Amino acid sequence: MSPSVKILKRRQCIPVIYTRGTHYDVGFDVGRTFAALIREFLTLSEALNSTYIPLYQTREGRQVYEETLESVRASFPQYIRELEGTADGAQVEFYKLFLLHMDEIMPMAVNKQNSIDQPTGCSSICVNQPGNEFIAHTEDTMPECLNFFYLVSAHIVCDEPQGKHKVKEERFTSLCYAGHLPGYTMGYNHHGLIFTINTLSASTLHSGKTPRHFISRALLSAENFAQAQQIIKDTGVGAGDGCSINMTFLCQDGPRLFHNIEMAPAKNNESQINIRSAQNGEHLIHCNRYLRLQVPEVGGLIVDSSTERMRVMQSLGEPKNRDDIIKLLGDQSSKVHPVFRSRTEDPIKTIAMGIFDCIARTWTLYSDNPKHNEPLFVLPLVIKN
């Protein structure tokens, strides 16, 4: 770990940018505004510098990179332009940002093994009770990401329909890691879609398919649940890796429904998915292992951690309100794999925690344990019309 990671303690700070324009414009504004954070993060990222770039410099790795980039450019050229804008605004190399979005696809495709055996991943809870409708999420990641994130609130309007889903307008707010596209954390859009992401680690990942970071970016354009499923299935290409998505639509007809969608790498050019929904009086909890899809996983610490966090949260009783959510997601009772990870010895850190209130239509964000700290701010959920 870089010495500067040890020196820079947890900051009570989440920067925010409001930006409007084309995909390239929005990406450029993000890159220019957060250039210092992005450049420093690229120097600190152990996975990027120790694994992804060395593999990129090999013939096999470069082939995986090029065929994946070509596939994404064919499906989502607008998000490639957005990422190019970020690279130009921050004055960093595009290929490094794209490697971060490929994540473990490169080492799995080239070496048939994941490069990180750490208890990575996040915890999400959906509560569907009368008068209490919440999605809550801890954002957990490698320690070098601590203090290297920000909120992007963007309004994108295009003259012509963009990408395979023919999108002309997007308006959303998303938590972002430095140098990453919006989407692969937690956020919402102006159609009333709220979602959070949990990383899942299948043991077989695919080159030339759509990395989960781009599927979650596309999800920020979804107008309804049917469109969201279409985006996640990514018919014709399919996902290169896996995750689970916890979601609801504020503007849906009928009673509140929450959904957990497990997504696995493509089979027959379409993402494998499994949907479980929570109706009134029910709840959902998801961490970082497949609970329903029969998908071989990498095993190791990510599975051990997910199993322990699920066990602890289930032992604390059914969550029915905001206080119960804070009790579960702020829990540190486990000696090895706590739900909220902020101790010096924790190899993975919880960098932020969010609670979406579907009735009050607010997003409450914490940069530290909500059991002991006030939120940094509470944002209104701004919905179209």
PDB file of all heavy atoms in Angstrom, residues 301-334:
ATOM      1  N   LEU A 301     -11.825 -14.834  -0.042  1.00  0.00           N
ATOM      2  CA  LEU A 301     -12.262 -13.887   0.972  1.00  0.00           C
ATOM      3  C   LEU A 301     -13.541 -13.151   0.607  1.00  0.00           C
ATOM      4  O   LEU A 301     -14.315 -12.781   1.490  1.00  0.00           O
ATOM      5  CB  LEU A 301     -11.143 -12.885   1.247  1.00  0.00           C
ATOM      6  CG  LEU A 301      -9.911 -13.459   1.974  1.00  0.00           C
ATOM      7  CD1 LEU A 301      -8.803 -12.411   2.048  1.00  0.00           C
ATOM      8  CD2 LEU A 301     -10.285 -13.932   3.370  1.00  0.00           C
ATOM      9  N   ILE A 302     -13.801 -12.899  -0.690  1.00  0.00           N
ATOM     10  CA  ILE A 302     -15.022 -12.186  -1.041  1.00  0.00           C
ATOM     11  C   ILE A 302     -16.246 -13.002  -0.659  1.00  0.00           C
ATOM     12  O   ILE A 302     -17.248 -12.452  -0.156  1.00  0.00           O
ATOM     13  CB  ILE A 302     -15.055 -11.808  -2.538  1.00  0.00           C
ATOM     14  CG1 ILE A 302     -16.282 -10.940  -2.832  1.00  0.00           C
ATOM     15  CG2 ILE A 302     -15.018 -13.017  -3.433  1.00  0.00           C
ATOM     16  CD1 ILE A 302     -16.309 -10.351  -4.236  1.00  0.00           C
ATOM     17  N   VAL A 303     -16.184 -14.316  -0.841  1.00  0.00           N
ATOM     18  CA  VAL A 303     -17.304 -15.183  -0.460  1.00  0.00           C
ATOM     19  C   VAL A 303     -17.382 -15.327   1.055  1.00  0.00           C
ATOM     20  O   VAL A 303     -18.463 -15.264   1.649  1.00  0.00           O
ATOM     21  CB  VAL A 303     -17.173 -16.555  -1.153  1.00  0.00           C
ATOM     22  CG1 VAL A 303     -18.195 -17.543  -0.590  1.00  0.00           C
ATOM     23  CG2 VAL A 303     -17.355 -16.409  -2.656  1.00  0.00           C
ATOM     24  N   ASP A 304     -16.234 -15.505   1.706  1.00  0.00           N
ATOM     25  CA  ASP A 304     -16.219 -15.621   3.171  1.00  0.00           C
ATOM     26  C   ASP A 304     -16.812 -14.376   3.822  1.00  0.00           C
ATOM     27  O   ASP A 304     -17.624 -14.466   4.753  1.00  0.00           O
ATOM     28  CB  ASP A 304     -14.790 -15.818   3.673  1.00  0.00           C
ATOM     29  CG  ASP A 304     -14.174 -17.128   3.215  1.00  0.00           C
ATOM     30  OD1 ASP A 304     -14.931 -18.004   2.757  1.00  0.00           O
ATOM     31  OD2 ASP A 304     -12.935 -17.263   3.299  1.00  0.00           O
ATOM     32  N   SER A 305     -16.408 -13.199   3.337  1.00  0.00           N
ATOM     33  CA  SER A 305     -16.887 -11.947   3.895  1.00  0.00           C
ATOM     34  C   SER A 305     -18.377 -11.785   3.671  1.00  0.00           C
ATOM     35  O   SER A 305     -19.130 -11.382   4.572  1.00  0.00           O
ATOM     36  CB  SER A 305     -16.131 -10.765   3.271  1.00  0.00           C
ATOM     37  OG  SER A 305     -16.715  -9.540   3.625  1.00  0.00           O
ATOM     38  N   SER A 306     -18.840 -12.089   2.450  1.00  0.00           N
ATOM     39  CA  SER A 306     -20.257 -11.949   2.138  1.00  0.00           C
ATOM     40  C   SER A 306     -21.102 -12.866   3.011  1.00  0.00           C
ATOM     41  O   SER A 306     -22.145 -12.463   3.546  1.00  0.00           O
ATOM     42  CB  SER A 306     -20.493 -12.264   0.660  1.00  0.00           C
ATOM     43  OG  SER A 306     -21.840 -12.099   0.312  1.00  0.00           O
ATOM     44  N   THR A 307     -20.651 -14.102   3.183  1.00  0.00           N
ATOM     45  CA  THR A 307     -21.386 -15.063   4.008  1.00  0.00           C
ATOM     46  C   THR A 307     -21.483 -14.580   5.447  1.00  0.00           C
ATOM     47  O   THR A 307     -22.549 -14.663   6.081  1.00  0.00           O
ATOM     48  CB  THR A 307     -20.693 -16.436   3.960  1.00  0.00           C
ATOM     49  OG1 THR A 307     -20.658 -16.901   2.602  1.00  0.00           O
ATOM     50  CG2 THR A 307     -21.422 -17.452   4.819  1.00  0.00           C
ATOM     51  N   GLU A 308     -20.390 -14.047   5.986  1.00  0.00           N
ATOM     52  CA  GLU A 308     -20.380 -13.579   7.373  1.00  0.00           C
ATOM     53  C   GLU A 308     -21.253 -12.339   7.543  1.00  0.00           C
ATOM     54  O   GLU A 308     -22.001 -12.226   8.525  1.00  0.00           O
ATOM     55  CB  GLU A 308     -18.943 -13.289   7.804  1.00  0.00           C
ATOM     56  CG  GLU A 308     -18.792 -12.675   9.196  1.00  0.00           C
ATOM     57  CD  GLU A 308     -19.218 -13.587  10.331  1.00  0.00           C
ATOM     58  OE1 GLU A 308     -19.600 -14.758  10.071  1.00  0.00           O
ATOM     59  OE2 GLU A 308     -19.174 -13.144  11.498  1.00  0.00           O
ATOM     60  N   ARG A 309     -21.181 -11.399   6.604  1.00  0.00           N
ATOM     61  CA  ARG A 309     -22.016 -10.199   6.713  1.00  0.00           C
ATOM     62  C   ARG A 309     -23.492 -10.547   6.634  1.00  0.00           C
ATOM     63  O   ARG A 309     -24.315 -10.008   7.385  1.00  0.00           O
ATOM     64  CB  ARG A 309     -21.632  -9.192   5.626  1.00  0.00           C
ATOM     65  CG  ARG A 309     -20.364  -8.406   5.948  1.00  0.00           C
ATOM     66  CD  ARG A 309     -19.999  -7.450   4.819  1.00  0.00           C
ATOM     67  NE  ARG A 309     -19.320  -8.120   3.732  1.00  0.00           N
ATOM     68  CZ  ARG A 309     -19.585  -7.967   2.441  1.00  0.00           C
ATOM     69  NH1 ARG A 309     -20.559  -7.153   2.064  1.00  0.00           N
ATOM     70  NH2 ARG A 309     -18.907  -8.617   1.515  1.00  0.00           N
ATOM     71  N   MET A 310     -23.853 -11.468   5.738  1.00  0.00           N
ATOM     72  CA  MET A 310     -25.245 -11.908   5.652  1.00  0.00           C
ATOM     73  C   MET A 310     -25.679 -12.563   6.960  1.00  0.00           C
ATOM     74  O   MET A 310     -26.780 -12.310   7.462  1.00  0.00           O
ATOM     75  CB  MET A 310     -25.402 -12.886   4.491  1.00  0.00           C
ATOM     76  CG  MET A 310     -25.326 -12.256   3.125  1.00  0.00           C
ATOM     77  SD  MET A 310     -26.801 -11.302   2.680  1.00  0.00           S
ATOM     78  CE  MET A 310     -28.000 -12.617   2.487  1.00  0.00           C
ATOM     79  N   ARG A 311     -24.814 -13.395   7.524  1.00  0.00           N
ATOM     80  CA  ARG A 311     -25.158 -14.091   8.771  1.00  0.00           C
ATOM     81  C   ARG A 311     -25.411 -13.093   9.891  1.00  0.00           C
ATOM     82  O   ARG A 311     -26.401 -13.202  10.628  1.00  0.00           O
ATOM     83  CB  ARG A 311     -24.026 -15.046   9.174  1.00  0.00           C
ATOM     84  CG  ARG A 311     -24.326 -15.866  10.425  1.00  0.00           C
ATOM     85  CD  ARG A 311     -23.080 -16.490  11.006  1.00  0.00           C
ATOM     86  NE  ARG A 311     -22.149 -15.493  11.547  1.00  0.00           N
ATOM     87  CZ  ARG A 311     -22.329 -14.879  12.724  1.00  0.00           C
ATOM     88  NH1 ARG A 311     -23.397 -15.132  13.470  1.00  0.00           N
ATOM     89  NH2 ARG A 311     -21.427 -13.997  13.145  1.00  0.00           N
ATOM     90  N   VAL A 312     -24.526 -12.103  10.015  1.00  0.00           N
ATOM     91  CA  VAL A 312     -24.665 -11.110  11.077  1.00  0.00           C
ATOM     92  C   VAL A 312     -25.951 -10.311  10.902  1.00  0.00           C
ATOM     93  O   VAL A 312     -26.723 -10.127  11.864  1.00  0.00           O
ATOM     94  CB  VAL A 312     -23.442 -10.178  11.100  1.00  0.00           C
ATOM     95  CG1 VAL A 312     -23.707  -8.964  11.986  1.00  0.00           C
ATOM     96  CG2 VAL A 312     -22.210 -10.920  11.592  1.00  0.00           C
ATOM     97  N   MET A 313     -26.218  -9.822   9.681  1.00  0.00           N
ATOM     98  CA  MET A 313     -27.408  -9.002   9.480  1.00  0.00           C
ATOM     99  C   MET A 313     -28.695  -9.795   9.709  1.00  0.00           C
ATOM    100  O   MET A 313     -29.657  -9.284  10.292  1.00  0.00           O
ATOM    101  CB  MET A 313     -27.380  -8.389   8.079  1.00  0.00           C
ATOM    102  CG  MET A 313     -26.364  -7.255   7.943  1.00  0.00           C
ATOM    103  SD  MET A 313     -26.502  -6.310   6.398  1.00  0.00           S
ATOM    104  CE  MET A 313     -25.763  -7.472   5.250  1.00  0.00           C
ATOM    105  N   GLN A 314     -28.704 -11.058   9.301  1.00  0.00           N
ATOM    106  CA  GLN A 314     -29.885 -11.887   9.531  1.00  0.00           C
ATOM    107  C   GLN A 314     -30.092 -12.176  11.015  1.00  0.00           C
ATOM    108  O   GLN A 314     -31.226 -12.299  11.482  1.00  0.00           O
ATOM    109  CB  GLN A 314     -29.765 -13.181   8.726  1.00  0.00           C
ATOM    110  CG  GLN A 314     -29.912 -12.965   7.223  1.00  0.00           C
ATOM    111  CD  GLN A 314     -29.542 -14.180   6.403  1.00  0.00           C
ATOM    112  OE1 GLN A 314     -28.945 -15.138   6.910  1.00  0.00           O
ATOM    113  NE2 GLN A 314     -29.886 -14.160   5.122  1.00  0.00           N
ATOM    114  N   SER A 315     -28.994 -12.240  11.773  1.00  0.00           N
ATOM    115  CA  SER A 315     -29.106 -12.507  13.216  1.00  0.00           C
ATOM    116  C   SER A 315     -29.642 -11.306  13.985  1.00  0.00           C
ATOM    117  O   SER A 315     -30.110 -11.460  15.122  1.00  0.00           O
ATOM    118  CB  SER A 315     -27.734 -12.905  13.780  1.00  0.00           C
ATOM    119  OG  SER A 315     -26.866 -11.774  13.869  1.00  0.00           O
ATOM    120  N   LEU A 316     -29.575 -10.118  13.392  1.00  0.00           N
ATOM    121  CA  LEU A 316     -30.013  -8.902  14.080  1.00  0.00           C
ATOM    122  C   LEU A 316     -31.506  -8.643  13.932  1.00  0.00           C
ATOM    123  O   LEU A 316     -32.017  -7.652  14.451  1.00  0.00           O
ATOM    124  CB  LEU A 316     -29.220  -7.698  13.569  1.00  0.00           C
ATOM    125  CG  LEU A 316     -27.713  -7.708  13.893  1.00  0.00           C
ATOM    126  CD1 LEU A 316     -27.004  -6.554  13.208  1.00  0.00           C
ATOM    127  CD2 LEU A 316     -27.489  -7.649  15.396  1.00  0.00           C
ATOM    128  N   GLY A 317     -32.208  -9.516  13.235  1.00  0.00           N
ATOM    129  CA  GLY A 317     -33.650  -9.381  13.102  1.00  0.00           C
ATOM    130  C   GLY A 317     -34.064  -8.686  11.821  1.00  0.00           C
ATOM    131  O   GLY A 317     -33.265  -8.039  11.145  1.00  0.00           O
ATOM    132  N   GLU A 318     -35.332  -8.808  11.490  1.00  0.00           N
ATOM    133  CA  GLU A 318     -35.855  -8.235  10.253  1.00  0.00           C
ATOM    134  C   GLU A 318     -35.845  -6.709  10.310  1.00  0.00           C
ATOM    135  O   GLU A 318     -36.412  -6.121  11.234  1.00  0.00           O
ATOM    136  CB  GLU A 318     -37.285  -8.717  10.014  1.00  0.00           C
ATOM    137  CG  GLU A 318     -37.908  -8.164   8.749  1.00  0.00           C
ATOM    138  CD  GLU A 318     -39.350  -8.602   8.575  1.00  0.00           C
ATOM    139  OE1 GLU A 318     -39.875  -9.306   9.458  1.00  0.00           O
ATOM    140  OE2 GLU A 318     -39.957  -8.231   7.551  1.00  0.00           O
ATOM    141  N   PRO A 319     -35.224  -6.050   9.339  1.00  0.00           N
ATOM    142  CA  PRO A 319     -35.226  -4.578   9.333  1.00  0.00           C
ATOM    143  C   PRO A 319     -36.594  -4.050   8.895  1.00  0.00           C
ATOM    144  O   PRO A 319     -37.142  -4.478   7.878  1.00  0.00           O
ATOM    145  CB  PRO A 319     -34.138  -4.229   8.314  1.00  0.00           C
ATOM    146  CG  PRO A 319     -34.113  -5.408   7.381  1.00  0.00           C
ATOM    147  CD  PRO A 319     -34.446  -6.610   8.215  1.00  0.00           C
ATOM    148  N   LYS A 320     -37.131  -3.100   9.671  1.00  0.00           N
ATOM    149  CA  LYS A 320     -38.463  -2.573   9.378  1.00  0.00           C
ATOM    150  C   LYS A 320     -38.506  -1.057   9.235  1.00  0.00           C
ATOM    151  O   LYS A 320     -39.520  -0.506   8.832  1.00  0.00           O
ATOM    152  CB  LYS A 320     -39.445  -3.017  10.458  1.00  0.00           C
ATOM    153  CG  LYS A 320     -39.673  -4.529  10.482  1.00  0.00           C
ATOM    154  CD  LYS A 320     -40.779  -4.909  11.449  1.00  0.00           C
ATOM    155  CE  LYS A 320     -41.059  -6.416  11.375  1.00  0.00           C
ATOM    156  NZ  LYS A 320     -42.170  -6.806  12.270  1.00  0.00           N
ATOM    157  N   ASN A 321     -37.396  -0.375   9.576  1.00  0.00           N
ATOM    158  CA  ASN A 321     -37.400   1.081   9.501  1.00  0.00           C
ATOM    159  C   ASN A 321     -35.968   1.596   9.357  1.00  0.00           C
ATOM    160  O   ASN A 321     -35.018   0.805   9.286  1.00  0.00           O
ATOM    161  CB  ASN A 321     -38.079   1.690  10.733  1.00  0.00           C
ATOM    162  CG  ASN A 321     -37.493   1.159  12.039  1.00  0.00           C
ATOM    163  OD1 ASN A 321     -36.272   1.083  12.189  1.00  0.00           O
ATOM    164  ND2 ASN A 321     -38.355   0.784  12.986  1.00  0.00           N
ATOM    165  N   ARG A 322     -35.816   2.907   9.346  1.00  0.00           N
ATOM    166  CA  ARG A 322     -34.499   3.516   9.165  1.00  0.00           C
ATOM    167  C   ARG A 322     -33.547   3.131  10.298  1.00  0.00           C
ATOM    168  O   ARG A 322     -32.364   2.846  10.064  1.00  0.00           O
ATOM    169  CB  ARG A 322     -34.629   5.032   9.074  1.00  0.00           C
ATOM    170  CG  ARG A 322     -33.305   5.771   8.851  1.00  0.00           C
ATOM    171  CD  ARG A 322     -33.496   7.277   8.928  1.00  0.00           C
ATOM    172  NE  ARG A 322     -34.283   7.766   7.801  1.00  0.00           N
ATOM    173  CZ  ARG A 322     -33.751   8.287   6.699  1.00  0.00           C
ATOM    174  NH1 ARG A 322     -32.424   8.392   6.592  1.00  0.00           N
ATOM    175  NH2 ARG A 322     -34.514   8.732   5.720  1.00  0.00           N
ATOM    176  N   ASP A 323     -34.027   3.125  11.528  1.00  0.00           N
ATOM    177  CA  ASP A 323     -33.166   2.780  12.665  1.00  0.00           C
ATOM    178  C   ASP A 323     -32.630   1.361  12.536  1.00  0.00           C
ATOM    179  O   ASP A 323     -31.467   1.089  12.863  1.00  0.00           O
ATOM    180  CB  ASP A 323     -33.928   2.940  13.984  1.00  0.00           C
ATOM    181  CG  ASP A 323     -34.184   4.396  14.330  1.00  0.00           C
ATOM    182  OD1 ASP A 323     -33.508   5.274  13.757  1.00  0.00           O
ATOM    183  OD2 ASP A 323     -35.064   4.650  15.177  1.00  0.00           O
ATOM    184  N   ASP A 324     -33.485   0.435  12.085  1.00  0.00           N
ATOM    185  CA  ASP A 324     -33.037  -0.956  11.900  1.00  0.00           C
ATOM    186  C   ASP A 324     -31.965  -1.035  10.817  1.00  0.00           C
ATOM    187  O   ASP A 324     -30.992  -1.795  10.935  1.00  0.00           O
ATOM    188  CB  ASP A 324     -34.221  -1.847  11.520  1.00  0.00           C
ATOM    189  CG  ASP A 324     -35.216  -2.036  12.655  1.00  0.00           C
ATOM    190  OD1 ASP A 324     -34.850  -1.766  13.813  1.00  0.00           O
ATOM    191  OD2 ASP A 324     -36.355  -2.453  12.369  1.00  0.00           O
ATOM    192  N   ILE A 325     -32.140  -0.271   9.744  1.00  0.00           N
ATOM    193  CA  ILE A 325     -31.147  -0.250   8.663  1.00  0.00           C
ATOM    194  C   ILE A 325     -29.797   0.218   9.187  1.00  0.00           C
ATOM    195  O   ILE A 325     -28.754  -0.390   8.910  1.00  0.00           O
ATOM    196  CB  ILE A 325     -31.629   0.653   7.508  1.00  0.00           C
ATOM    197  CG1 ILE A 325     -32.780  -0.013   6.766  1.00  0.00           C
ATOM    198  CG2 ILE A 325     -30.478   0.966   6.548  1.00  0.00           C
ATOM    199  CD1 ILE A 325     -33.465   0.903   5.763  1.00  0.00           C
ATOM    200  N   ILE A 326     -29.805   1.300   9.960  1.00  0.00           N
ATOM    201  CA  ILE A 326     -28.552   1.829  10.515  1.00  0.00           C
ATOM    202  C   ILE A 326     -27.918   0.826  11.461  1.00  0.00           C
ATOM    203  O   ILE A 326     -26.688   0.639  11.459  1.00  0.00           O
ATOM    204  CB  ILE A 326     -28.830   3.178  11.217  1.00  0.00           C
ATOM    205  CG1 ILE A 326     -29.137   4.247  10.162  1.00  0.00           C
ATOM    206  CG2 ILE A 326     -27.642   3.603  12.079  1.00  0.00           C
ATOM    207  CD1 ILE A 326     -29.561   5.578  10.733  1.00  0.00           C
ATOM    208  N   LYS A 327     -28.741   0.129  12.240  1.00  0.00           N
ATOM    209  CA  LYS A 327     -28.214  -0.890  13.142  1.00  0.00           C
ATOM    210  C   LYS A 327     -27.515  -2.002  12.371  1.00  0.00           C
ATOM    211  O   LYS A 327     -26.425  -2.457  12.757  1.00  0.00           O
ATOM    212  CB  LYS A 327     -29.345  -1.472  13.993  1.00  0.00           C
ATOM    213  CG  LYS A 327     -28.888  -2.551  14.982  1.00  0.00           C
ATOM    214  CD  LYS A 327     -30.035  -3.039  15.869  1.00  0.00           C
ATOM    215  CE  LYS A 327     -31.009  -3.883  15.069  1.00  0.00           C
ATOM    216  NZ  LYS A 327     -32.042  -4.506  15.936  1.00  0.00           N
ATOM    217  N   LEU A 328     -28.118  -2.438  11.261  1.00  0.00           N
ATOM    218  CA  LEU A 328     -27.543  -3.535  10.480  1.00  0.00           C
ATOM    219  C   LEU A 328     -26.312  -3.091   9.697  1.00  0.00           C
ATOM    220  O   LEU A 328     -25.244  -3.717   9.787  1.00  0.00           O
ATOM    221  CB  LEU A 328     -28.591  -4.116   9.526  1.00  0.00           C
ATOM    222  CG  LEU A 328     -29.404  -5.314  10.043  1.00  0.00           C
ATOM    223  CD1 LEU A 328     -30.246  -4.919  11.255  1.00  0.00           C
ATOM    224  CD2 LEU A 328     -30.297  -5.875   8.933  1.00  0.00           C
ATOM    225  N   LEU A 329     -26.439  -1.996   8.939  1.00  0.00           N
ATOM    226  CA  LEU A 329     -25.332  -1.592   8.073  1.00  0.00           C
ATOM    227  C   LEU A 329     -24.197  -0.924   8.838  1.00  0.00           C
ATOM    228  O   LEU A 329     -23.088  -0.811   8.332  1.00  0.00           O
ATOM    229  CB  LEU A 329     -25.838  -0.666   6.964  1.00  0.00           C
ATOM    230  CG  LEU A 329     -26.743  -1.322   5.922  1.00  0.00           C
ATOM    231  CD1 LEU A 329     -27.093  -0.339   4.810  1.00  0.00           C
ATOM    232  CD2 LEU A 329     -26.112  -2.581   5.327  1.00  0.00           C
ATOM    233  N   GLY A 330     -24.454  -0.490  10.066  1.00  0.00           N
ATOM    234  CA  GLY A 330     -23.390   0.079  10.889  1.00  0.00           C
ATOM    235  C   GLY A 330     -22.750  -0.931  11.825  1.00  0.00           C
ATOM    236  O   GLY A 330     -21.850  -0.572  12.600  1.00  0.00           O
ATOM    237  N   ASP A 331     -23.176  -2.197  11.740  1.00  0.00           N
ATOM    238  CA  ASP A 331     -22.707  -3.207  12.694  1.00  0.00           C
ATOM    239  C   ASP A 331     -21.224  -3.543  12.497  1.00  0.00           C
ATOM    240  O   ASP A 331     -20.758  -3.703  11.368  1.00  0.00           O
ATOM    241  CB  ASP A 331     -23.539  -4.488  12.554  1.00  0.00           C
ATOM    242  CG  ASP A 331     -23.216  -5.491  13.645  1.00  0.00           C
ATOM    243  OD1 ASP A 331     -23.737  -5.355  14.762  1.00  0.00           O
ATOM    244  OD2 ASP A 331     -22.390  -6.397  13.378  1.00  0.00           O
ATOM    245  N   GLN A 332     -20.511  -3.643  13.616  1.00  0.00           N
ATOM    246  CA  GLN A 332     -19.086  -4.015  13.592  1.00  0.00           C
ATOM    247  C   GLN A 332     -18.785  -5.143  14.580  1.00  0.00           C
ATOM    248  O   GLN A 332     -17.662  -5.255  15.065  1.00  0.00           O
ATOM    249  CB  GLN A 332     -18.232  -2.783  13.914  1.00  0.00           C
ATOM    250  CG  GLN A 332     -18.321  -1.692  12.859  1.00  0.00           C
ATOM    251  CD  GLN A 332     -17.453  -0.491  13.178  1.00  0.00           C
ATOM    252  OE1 GLN A 332     -17.592   0.140  14.222  1.00  0.00           O
ATOM    253  NE2 GLN A 332     -16.530  -0.170  12.262  1.00  0.00           N
ATOM    254  N   SER A 333     -19.779  -5.985  14.845  1.00  0.00           N
ATOM    255  CA  SER A 333     -19.615  -7.026  15.859  1.00  0.00           C
ATOM    256  C   SER A 333     -18.716  -8.168  15.403  1.00  0.00           C
ATOM    257  O   SER A 333     -18.058  -8.808  16.228  1.00  0.00           O
ATOM    258  CB  SER A 333     -20.985  -7.581  16.274  1.00  0.00           C
ATOM    259  OG  SER A 333     -21.662  -8.143  15.148  1.00  0.00           O
ATOM    260  N   SER A 334     -18.676  -8.425  14.076  1.00  0.00           N
ATOM    261  CA  SER A 334     -17.826  -9.507  13.594  1.00  0.00           C
ATOM    262  C   SER A 334     -16.354  -9.129  13.735  1.00  0.00           C
ATOM    263  O   SER A 334     -15.946  -8.021  13.368  1.00  0.00           O
ATOM    264  CB  SER A 334     -18.117  -9.815  12.124  1.00  0.00           C
ATOM    265  OG  SER A 334     -17.208 -10.774  11.619  1.00  0.00           O
TER     266      SER A 334
END
